[in-house]
Amino acid sequence: MASARRFLSKRALRTPQNGFEDLVPLMKDPRNVNLSGGVPPPSTYPMLTLQANLKDGTTVNLSQADTELAQRYPPFAWGKLRNWVHSTTQQLHNPPGDWGVSITAGSMSGVDLVFSMLLNEGDKLLIEEYSFTASIDWLVASGIECMPVHVDNNGIAPDALRAACEEARASGKPAKAVYVIPTGQNPTGTSLSEDRAREIYKIACEYDLVIIEDDAYFFLQHSTALKKDQLVDDDIDATLSGAGSFISMDTEARVVRLDTFSKVIAAGFRLGWITAPKELIKAYDGLAYFSSQQGCSLSMMLLGSMLESWGSEGFQKHVKELQRKLRQNAQSITKAAEEHLTGVATWHTPSAGMFLWVKLTQHMDPKQLLQRMQDHAVLGLHGDFCTVRHGMSKDDGSCFLRLSYVLEDPAAITEGVRRLGGLLRAGGSEA
Amino acid sequence: MASARRFLSKRALRTPQNGFEDLVPLMKDPRNVNLSGGVPPPSTYPMLTLQANLKDGTTVNLSQADTELAQRYPPFAWGKLRNWVHSTTQQLHNPPGDWGVSITAGSMSGVDLVFSMLLNEGDKLLIEEYSFTASIDWLVASGIECMPVHVDNNGIAPDALRAACEEARASGKPAKAVYVIPTGQNPTGTSLSEDRAREIYKIACEYDLVIIEDDAYFFLQHSTALKKDQLVDDDIDATLSGAGSFISMDTEARVVRLDTFSKVIAAGFRLGWITAPKELIKAYDGLAYFSSQQGCSLSMMLLGSMLESWGSEGFQKHVKELQRKLRQNAQSITKAAEEHLTGVATWHTPSAGMFLWVKLTQHMDPKQLLQRMQDHAVLGLHGDFCTVRHGMSKDDGSCFLRLSYVLEDPAAITEGVRRLGGLLRAGGSEA
């Protein structure tokens, strides 16, 4: 098997040896007098202990020792969280080969460093025709040549992917990577079946692509029968399986998987993790050292301690409740769409995640739409922000809108969709 | 005055409009139904309240409302911290012109985004011949052409800077920026006087350089008579003045200043801030949106609340205690150096910061030195990691070592220097 290092960008390959790499293990030996540190003396750190009172009635207490570590640089604070992340990944995805994990300072920081680790300016990247707006912005700003690939109701389409690979190869400059959001795709709400994922993995092997698997919505599946295009009403078992994930089938060391706590716990922790072949983890750590430092120590220690105190059972309980809530909301928005958007838009039922992706029959540009939304007091994200071809939806006269169903109150979601229906009908008559 | 936009990198200039920029203000109006969010419903956030017990006996309690905001994305959580940062900068530096501040996810993340905002691959950057190791690694990895500039006992030397600017101009490719650590320079421990800083600012105007002012050690000055090359024994007033900072004299909108909480409070918060002309703040925010997101919400809310509860007086008390501690330690290490390093190394008394920069009379490469240090149970950072010319110290047969004096116990610092003296003498006889 070829080394995964062939995927590294110039930037990753040029990263010098970190001067502290060899020192950190020695710092932990109390016999050594450490004159290499660059932090205030711990006695001057302001916090003695920290206490988080959880909504479930329990309390997470950080001891004096842990609170001190939480005020140091991340490598002293991430132990508990890394343990959780490693064992959870092992349990859910059980990746083959020589893999590792590393903490990210939130999903977007992870995407930032993974792109930076793999892509040079001018490289060709395959991407779902509608994708995560901030990732798109990164790619556009960094001069990556993006090739949009068709997404149908079951996620990125293998035939379209193969055709794009062929086109790139024929141009003399093959594609380097494919960026995929496999579950509850943002913004289309589609999910890949295990079979389709295997087909895509096979194409990646054939065209020597690295797969960047951004699975932010993995924990938010609306069905245990993974990723089916339907909602399940009854009380499901929250135990998830990562059997269909790319990392779970990565026998060729060509997958970098991104997970995040933002969508399954809270965005304010700014934490997530990557799973990848060890050679790529090393490169990621190198780039993180002179940028994100992999996130906030305080947050790592709090979250790590909370997950430890929850145990596997507590986490599953949390996921289950969140899933139930989002599934109900997804039902509300789908029902509201049927009632209020029929005739002015089309959509399909989301299989996972947070979004209903609606195709308007009439085009409105982002500014015009925002104005109308203000007038009708409802907010959504215009589809033009969700594609590398800004304004592409104009080409066939259609236009998209991403509606989330994360509001607390299902009645508010319904009301929002009702208002949207109103403005679309009004828009139609004005156009 | 020319627009500061002329300093922006291709990456910053290519950054697309953020789809949420126009939406965020509307989200705050409760009349709007917000179907644009992408976070779990707040009722599912795990934490109800947070409590930090400080060493000064006080407690910082985050209310339910603040704890909820701390679990959302950073723009909902950074209010208190931004207010503190803005008023503190105004008070200390009082920058002229149309300036603003923005939060960074720690100093290194700030450096990452500021470099990325200003520099293209192949650009020429002027940098102190010895500088911050992680910044150097960023520059090397990113293919920036670095021109090292001589540092004397009073910081970066204006004559050398001017000569480098001339050399670059004569080559047909002028330098774009200068990266300076003005106070308690890392690693040399030198500080710029106000006069020298003004001279450097004048050169920057003459050669149209943007100044990247990384003032991580600003709060750790060993003398109120700012930045003098001497330690002050007596109990000084901790009130600092930013009169000599580049941002304080920036009438031409060419300075980006970086501050950090890592050195004055604790690195675990992973927070700092930049101060810059508003046009550059906007570009920074654009890049941060698809990478750091400006840091951790939880950390912002905790630190912001702590600083608010401390008030100006509490912060000054903290700074004063930290300064006193580091000043004592600086005296200990200087005294220990006189006793144990005379004859095998030279140094000068640090004026601020955390480091004693010693020049060894005998060269040892990093691996050899690390081995000797292990044998003698003392750790320091080899100077080769502190220069863009890795191994440059070999050229004149000399070699540097960065020793920090941040350990809790001054006796341990003395013992470390004693061990170092021992290994250097042994090294001399073995060489």
Side-chain angles (χ1 to χ4, degrees):
Chain A
M1 193 173 64
S3 158
R5 278 180 62 84
R6 74 189 181 285
F7 295 126
L8 294 179
S9 66
K10 285 190 289 179
R11 199 158 183 258
L13 290 169
R14 283 187 305 222
T15 298
Q17 195 211 337
N18 169 347
F20 290 96
E21 201 177 307
D22 292 334
L23 287 172
V24 168
L26 300 174
M27 287 182 196
K28 291 175 181 167
D29 184 339
R31 287 170 304 178
N32 292 324
V33 177
N34 178 19
L35 303 180
S36 68
V39 290
S43 65
T44 69
Y45 296 169
M47 294 190 301
L48 187 67
T49 58
L50 259 173
Q51 188 181 320
N53 306 300
L54 306 192
K55 289 181 185 164
D56 64 12
T58 64
T59 300
V60 176
N61 285 300
L62 295 197
S63 67
Q64 286 193 31
D66 280 353
T67 306
E68 184 169 312
L69 293 175
Q71 290 172 89
R72 297 189 66 180
Y73 276 103
F76 296 91
W78 65 37
K80 287 181 192 183
L81 189 62
R82 275 182 74 105
N83 288 346
W84 187 91
V85 153
H86 192 277
S87 69
T88 301
T89 303
Q90 173 101 62
Q91 205 180 317
L92 289 172
H93 302 283
N94 192 23
D98 196 19
W99 61 280
V101 293
S102 204
I103 303 296
T104 63
S107 190
M108 198 55 230
S109 173
V111 168
D112 170 35
L113 291 178
V114 167
F115 281 170
S116 177
M117 168 174 91
L118 299 171
L119 303 172
N120 296 315
E121 186 170 342
D123 274 355
K124 263 185 195 146
L125 175 88
L126 302 155
I127 181 169
E128 287 140 333
E129 59 182 330
Y130 307 105
S131 185
F132 176 34
T133 174
S135 292
I136 289 171
D137 291 351
W138 193 102
L139 295 163
V140 171
S142 306
I144 307 303
E145 197 180 314
C146 295
M147 299 181 75
V149 178
H150 180 59
V151 175
D152 64 23
N153 286 352
N154 301 302
I156 190 168
D159 289 351
L161 182 66
R162 183 181 292 278
C165 288
E166 275 302 317
E167 188 191 323
R169 186 182 271 180
S171 78
K173 191 166 138 198
K176 170 111 185 252
V178 57
Y179 172 70
V180 193
I181 305 171
T183 315
Q185 206 265 352
N186 178 2
T188 65
T190 59
S191 298
L192 293 176
S193 66
E194 185 175 342
D195 282 353
R196 190 179 271 203
R198 289 202 181 278
E199 207 175 335
I200 287 162
Y201 188 78
K202 213 178 127 207
I203 296 170
C205 295
E206 230 174 294
Y207 292 90
D208 199 23
L209 302 174
V210 52
I211 298 177
I212 304 166
E213 174 178 35
D214 183 355
D215 211 357
Y217 304 95
F218 172 77
F219 291 103
L220 308 182
Q221 298 179 32
H222 299 327
S223 160
T224 35
L226 263 184
K227 304 172 182 180
K228 274 196 191 153
D229 185 17
Q230 60 179 65
L231 297 167
V232 174
D233 263 331
D234 53 337
D235 194 5
I236 62 162
D237 180 353
T239 307
L240 293 166
S241 153
S245 69
F246 291 115
I247 200 77
S248 74
M249 52 187 79
D250 189 25
T251 50
E252 294 209 354
R254 60 173 70 253
V255 175
V256 180
R257 178 181 167 85
L258 289 137
D259 279 277
T260 179
F261 290 104
S262 293
K263 308 303 180 188
V264 69
I265 295 191
F269 288 98
R270 303 310 309 128
L271 289 169
W273 72 99
I274 66 164
T275 310
K278 277 207 179 127
E279 284 172 304
L280 300 184
I281 292 290
K282 192 173 156 61
Y284 167 85
D285 289 349
L287 292 172
Y289 167 66
F290 51 71
S291 57
S292 71
Q293 305 245 330
Q294 300 183 229
C296 170
S297 314
L298 260 172
S299 185
M300 289 171 184
M301 187 61 90
L302 260 174
L303 184 57
S305 302
M306 191 179 84
L307 290 167
E308 194 182 76
S309 94
W310 270 358
S312 169
E313 207 177 309
F315 178 69
Q316 290 211 9
K317 184 167 169 282
H318 171 81
V319 172
K320 198 166 172 173
E321 280 164 15
L322 177 59
Q323 285 184 340
R324 189 182 297 124
K325 175 84 187 135
L326 287 177
R327 210 172 306 125
Q328 283 165 354
N329 283 3
Q331 281 167 332
S332 298
I333 203 167
T334 310
K335 212 173 139 202
E338 276 160 23
E339 194 172 339
H340 301 292
L341 302 183
T342 301
V344 290
T346 56
W347 62 90
H348 76 101
T349 310
S351 64
M354 298 180 164
F355 308 113
L356 183 77
W357 181 238
V358 300
K359 183 175 181 175
L360 312 185
T361 49
Q362 187 102 28
H363 183 80
M364 284 192 219
D365 74 36
K367 279 205 186 310
Q368 186 191 15
L369 184 69
L370 191 68
Q371 188 53 56
R372 291 272 171 79
M373 291 192 305
Q374 269 189 271
D375 298 345
H376 289 75
V378 55
L379 308 177
L381 185 69
H382 193 288
D384 276 7
F385 290 109
C386 305
T387 165
V388 290
R389 299 186 285 197
H390 282 272
M392 80 171 292
S393 46
K394 278 176 198 162
D395 296 348
D396 69 349
S398 66
C399 173
F400 289 88
L401 195 57
R402 190 194 79 173
L403 304 178
S404 64
Y405 45 86
V406 297
L407 285 181
E408 212 65 73
D409 177 11
I413 297 173
T414 302
E415 172 59 16
V417 174
R418 194 191 64 76
R419 291 180 191 180
L420 178 68
L423 81 89
L424 291 175
R425 283 175 220 285
S429 62
E430 289 163 32
Chain B
M1 194 172 66
S3 159
R5 278 180 63 85
R6 74 188 182 287
F7 295 126
L8 294 179
S9 66
K10 284 190 289 181
R11 199 160 182 256
L13 290 170
R14 282 187 305 223
T15 299
Q17 196 212 334
N18 168 347
F20 291 96
E21 200 178 307
D22 293 333
L23 287 172
V24 168
L26 300 176
M27 287 182 195
K28 292 175 181 167
D29 183 339
R31 287 170 303 179
N32 291 324
V33 176
N34 178 20
L35 303 181
S36 68
V39 291
S43 66
T44 68
Y45 297 169
M47 295 190 300
L48 188 66
T49 58
L50 259 172
Q51 187 181 322
N53 305 300
L54 306 192
K55 288 181 185 164
D56 64 13
T58 64
T59 299
V60 175
N61 285 300
L62 295 197
S63 66
Q64 285 193 32
D66 280 354
T67 306
E68 184 170 313
L69 293 175
Q71 291 171 89
R72 297 189 64 181
Y73 276 103
F76 296 91
W78 65 37
K80 286 181 192 184
L81 189 63
R82 276 183 74 107
N83 287 345
W84 187 92
V85 153
H86 192 277
S87 68
T88 301
T89 302
Q90 172 101 62
Q91 205 179 316
L92 290 171
H93 302 282
N94 193 25
D98 197 20
W99 61 280
V101 294
S102 204
I103 304 296
T104 63
S107 192
M108 198 55 230
S109 174
V111 168
D112 170 36
L113 290 178
V114 167
F115 281 171
S116 176
M117 168 174 89
L118 299 171
L119 303 173
N120 296 315
E121 186 171 342
D123 274 355
K124 265 186 193 145
L125 175 88
L126 302 156
I127 182 170
E128 288 140 334
E129 59 184 330
Y130 307 105
S131 185
F132 176 34
T133 175
S135 291
I136 290 170
D137 291 351
W138 192 103
L139 295 164
V140 170
S142 306
I144 308 302
E145 197 181 314
C146 294
M147 299 182 75
V149 178
H150 180 58
V151 175
D152 64 22
N153 286 352
N154 302 301
I156 190 168
D159 289 352
L161 182 66
R162 183 181 293 279
C165 287
E166 275 302 317
E167 187 191 325
R169 186 181 270 183
S171 79
K173 191 166 139 198
K176 170 112 184 252
V178 56
Y179 173 70
V180 192
I181 305 172
T183 314
Q185 205 265 351
N186 178 3
T188 65
T190 59
S191 296
L192 293 177
S193 66
E194 185 176 340
D195 282 353
R196 189 179 272 202
R198 287 201 182 279
E199 209 176 333
I200 286 161
Y201 187 77
K202 212 179 127 206
I203 296 170
C205 294
E206 230 174 293
Y207 291 89
D208 200 25
L209 303 174
V210 53
I211 298 177
I212 303 165
E213 174 178 35
D214 183 356
D215 212 356
Y217 304 95
F218 172 77
F219 291 104
L220 308 182
Q221 299 179 30
H222 298 329
S223 161
T224 35
L226 263 185
K227 304 172 179 180
K228 276 194 192 153
D229 184 16
Q230 61 179 63
L231 297 167
V232 174
D233 262 333
D234 53 338
D235 193 4
I236 61 161
D237 180 353
T239 307
L240 294 167
S241 155
S245 69
F246 290 114
I247 200 77
S248 74
M249 53 186 80
D250 189 25
T251 50
E252 293 207 355
R254 59 172 71 253
V255 175
V256 180
R257 178 183 167 84
L258 290 138
D259 280 275
T260 178
F261 290 104
S262 292
K263 308 303 179 187
V264 70
I265 294 190
F269 288 97
R270 305 308 310 127
L271 289 169
W273 72 99
I274 66 163
T275 310
K278 277 207 178 127
E279 282 172 304
L280 300 184
I281 292 290
K282 192 173 156 60
Y284 167 85
D285 289 349
L287 292 172
Y289 168 65
F290 51 72
S291 56
S292 71
Q293 304 245 331
Q294 302 183 226
C296 170
S297 313
L298 259 173
S299 184
M300 289 173 185
M301 187 59 91
L302 260 175
L303 183 57
S305 301
M306 192 179 83
L307 289 168
E308 193 182 77
S309 94
W310 270 358
S312 168
E313 207 177 309
F315 178 69
Q316 290 211 9
K317 184 167 169 283
H318 171 82
V319 172
K320 199 166 171 172
E321 280 166 14
L322 177 58
Q323 284 184 341
R324 188 181 299 123
K325 175 84 186 134
L326 286 177
R327 211 171 306 124
Q328 284 165 354
N329 283 3
Q331 282 168 333
S332 299
I333 203 167
T334 310
K335 212 173 137 199
E338 276 159 26
E339 193 172 339
H340 301 291
L341 301 184
T342 301
V344 289
T346 57
W347 62 90
H348 76 100
T349 310
S351 64
M354 297 179 163
F355 307 112
L356 184 76
W357 181 239
V358 301
K359 182 176 180 174
L360 311 185
T361 50
Q362 188 100 28
H363 184 81
M364 284 193 219
D365 73 34
K367 280 206 184 310
Q368 187 191 14
L369 184 71
L370 191 67
Q371 189 52 56
R372 290 273 171 79
M373 290 192 305
Q374 268 189 273
D375 297 345
H376 290 74
V378 55
L379 308 177
L381 185 68
H382 194 287
D384 277 8
F385 290 109
C386 305
T387 166
V388 289
R389 299 186 286 197
H390 281 272
M392 78 171 296
S393 47
K394 278 177 198 163
D395 297 347
D396 69 351
S398 66
C399 173
F400 290 87
L401 196 57
R402 190 194 80 173
L403 304 178
S404 64
Y405 45 86
V406 297
L407 284 182
E408 212 64 74
D409 178 11
I413 296 174
T414 302
E415 172 59 16
V417 175
R418 194 192 65 74
R419 292 181 191 178
L420 178 68
L423 81 89
L424 290 176
R425 283 176 219 285
S429 63
E430 288 164 33

